[in-house]
Amino acid sequence: MAKLPTDINMDILSRLPVKCLLRFKCVSKSFCSLLDSQEFIKIHLKRSIETNSNLSLILSGTPASILPSSCYWDGKIFSASLDSLNLGVELDHPFKNCKGETLMIDSCNGLIALQNDENDIALWNPATKEHVMFPEFWSDLKDNVYVVFDGFGYDAVNDDYKVVRLIQFGTESVEYTEVDVYSLRTNSWRRIRVDFPYYSPRPWNGTFADGHVHWLVTNNPEDDIANLIVAFDLKSEEFHEVPLPHLENRNEVLVMFVGTLSGRLYFCCLYDHSRPVNVWVMKESWTEAFSIPRRVGDYVKPLSYSKSGGKILMDNCEYAEDEDDIDIWELFWYDLQNQRAAADQVTIHGVPQGWRDTIVCVDSLVSLAAYAGSGVAGREGRMS
């Protein structure tokens, strides 16, 4: 391959999984230089996204020490290839040996933003095992913090990865909201001056799609269910509103949430067990993509399309009737054409049972050092 033109080498190598490419770095200096180049990294990532390949399901225990299942996870995070989904491999994440609870904020281009309640945030590439710790943030927060929720994504215009943090202050209710943005290129936090007249009925972290981080919010502090989506543009660092799809009986919705499918924002809402789970996808406007009959579970979440696009991987939970029991979680492929479960439930061996969080992450060679400098792990930052 060394005698082939560089563009042909890139085309061939861009079709291979990250694990193989990492081994190939040992072949020669020229190979290592090619695979480390930003041009190749972006070509490989683009092909993976376009072909819906090199995807991994990342699973972690939900950070809630009062839940009976939390002891089974013990801060562990697992990965399973979306092509097979039969074996979970424990990952050495940045907060594995830290105290406190760790949760996944979101995934973008192979990077995962992790939050630890005692050590704040880290960006981590599970495929390359590279990570960067954020500069300290919590030291100057006031005591009357009402709720904090984050979002993570990629600013394609400035070629930068950013985390946006919304801090709502108040004692018994929200009095005002502070917005802070972390830039990987500067490895620093800064406060931005924007108006945020919204409230979060459920302070879930944001979802990244199409250059924006999205949250379900309400503009009425008395509402207990969202009535719109607010999107933060990572380029302009401004908010704008996204209306919800038309819902005939919004007051009867039990749970609604947003996520991403093949890079597109989706909206999902759950009613009682007699009604199906409806999923809308944002293209130029909301389009009802599919509807799935409600299974026995109390929680249903779409995760990823299959490579062919004919099936979708669903995460399903049945809450335990007794608080001392463990919630039952299962994965299954749903056949969109035939409108039925495609096969028996998916079993990932080696992964604990019980309450968990799941995200889909593309395996990539995206280098944190290329953005934040060499020796990024533990690198000091600054607050401005």
Side-chain angles (χ1 to χ4, degrees):
M1 290 182 66
K3 296 181 180 179
L4 295 174
T6 300
D7 59 338
I8 295 180
N9 272 342
M10 283 189 172
D11 183 68
I12 295 172
L13 293 170
S14 68
R15 302 170 188 271
L16 299 178
V18 170
K19 287 184 179 180
C20 293
L21 296 175
L22 292 175
R23 290 197 295 268
F24 288 171
K25 284 188 176 184
C26 302
V27 172
S28 67
K29 289 184 178 180
S30 60
F31 252 50
C32 185
S33 177
L34 174 65
L35 298 177
D36 281 340
S37 69
Q38 289 301 299
E39 182 183 5
F40 175 77
I41 290 172
K42 291 180 179 180
I43 289 174
H44 182 270
L45 176 62
K46 184 173 183 288
R47 184 182 293 276
S48 295
I49 293 173
E50 289 178 345
T51 59
N52 205 30
S53 57
N54 296 321
L55 298 177
S56 293
L57 185 65
I58 311 295
L59 308 97
S60 74
T62 299
S65 58
I66 62 172
L67 293 174
S69 60
S70 61
C71 62
Y72 294 93
W73 286 89
D74 193 26
K76 297 176 182 177
I77 297 178
F78 294 83
S79 172
S81 170
L82 217 64
D83 290 335
S84 57
L85 288 177
N86 59 3
L87 179 64
V89 177
E90 185 181 351
L91 302 174
D92 290 325
H93 63 87
F95 296 125
K96 182 178 180 180
N97 298 317
C98 296
K99 296 180 180 180
E101 303 286 359
T102 299
L103 62 82
M104 300 184 292
I105 296 172
D106 204 357
S107 170
C108 175
N109 293 348
L111 303 181
I112 298 175
L114 296 177
Q115 180 183 6
N116 180 275
D117 60 8
E118 290 191 5
N119 296 275
D120 208 50
I121 299 177
L123 289 187
W124 169 49
N125 185 329
T128 64
K129 300 180 174 60
E130 188 182 32
H131 74 272
V132 56
M133 305 297 296
F134 280 29
E136 186 177 0
F137 182 93
W138 287 100
S139 59
D140 67 341
L141 284 185
K142 300 176 182 178
D143 294 332
N144 65 335
V145 173
Y146 185 73
V147 67
V148 178
F149 41 109
D150 299 306
F152 165 61
Y154 177 58
D155 174 0
V157 174
N158 297 300
D159 190 21
D160 194 6
Y161 290 89
K162 295 179 178 179
V163 168
V164 54
R165 168 164 285 180
L166 307 180
I167 309 167
Q168 298 195 323
F169 291 92
T171 51
E172 297 181 358
S173 62
V174 178
E175 298 172 4
Y176 69 98
T177 301
E178 177 182 297
V179 182
D180 300 270
V181 176
Y182 167 87
S183 163
L184 179 60
R185 284 209 174 275
T186 63
N187 192 32
S188 64
W189 288 97
R190 56 191 169 81
R191 294 184 178 91
I192 62 174
R193 306 297 179 184
V194 295
D195 184 30
F196 191 84
Y198 309 104
Y199 310 89
S200 177
R202 290 182 172 87
W204 292 339
N205 286 322
T207 294
F208 175 74
D210 193 28
H212 297 71
V213 179
H214 304 80
W215 292 272
L216 282 164
V217 297
T218 174
N219 44 23
N220 182 356
E222 303 300 323
D223 280 355
D224 58 3
I225 191 164
N227 62 4
L228 58 89
I229 297 169
V230 66
F232 182 77
D233 188 329
L234 291 175
K235 172 186 176 292
S236 66
E237 297 187 349
E238 296 176 343
F239 289 97
H240 68 266
E241 295 180 0
V242 179
L244 298 181
H246 174 68
L247 303 175
E248 293 183 359
N249 299 294
R250 188 177 72 89
N251 293 332
E252 297 179 14
V253 174
L254 299 178
V255 179
M256 60 173 64
F257 50 89
V258 291
T260 55
L261 284 171
S262 297
R264 294 187 181 274
L265 181 72
Y266 77 77
F267 171 84
C268 181
C269 65
L270 279 65
Y271 295 91
D272 59 36
H273 287 81
S274 64
R275 305 191 197 182
V277 178
N278 298 315
V279 179
W280 288 262
V281 174
M282 175 60 78
K283 296 179 181 178
E284 292 183 357
S285 59
W286 287 113
T287 301
E288 189 166 356
F290 52 88
S291 181
I292 297 179
R294 189 78 174 270
R295 292 165 62 93
V296 296
D298 300 286
Y299 171 90
V300 184
K301 175 185 176 182
L303 294 173
S304 175
Y305 287 106
S306 61
K307 281 188 176 181
S308 66
K311 297 185 294 184
I312 188 165
L313 183 66
M314 303 294 296
D315 205 359
N316 184 74
C317 171
E318 180 179 1
Y319 297 147
E321 295 183 3
D322 191 319
E323 63 179 14
D324 293 326
D325 293 334
I326 299 175
D327 300 325
I328 299 174
W329 286 79
E330 65 174 3
L331 296 162
F332 66 93
W333 287 103
Y334 185 79
D335 189 320
L336 295 171
Q337 182 176 359
N338 297 316
Q339 298 185 4
R340 60 179 176 82
D344 294 336
Q345 71 181 62
V346 176
T347 300
I348 304 179
H349 299 283
V351 175
Q353 186 54 263
W355 192 280
R356 68 185 183 214
D357 189 17
T358 49
I359 61 173
V360 174
C361 179
V362 60
D363 296 339
S364 82
L365 292 166
V366 171
S367 171
L368 291 166
Y371 290 87
S374 59
V376 294
R379 178 171 175 260
E380 292 184 0
R382 65 183 184 276
M383 185 80 180
S384 61

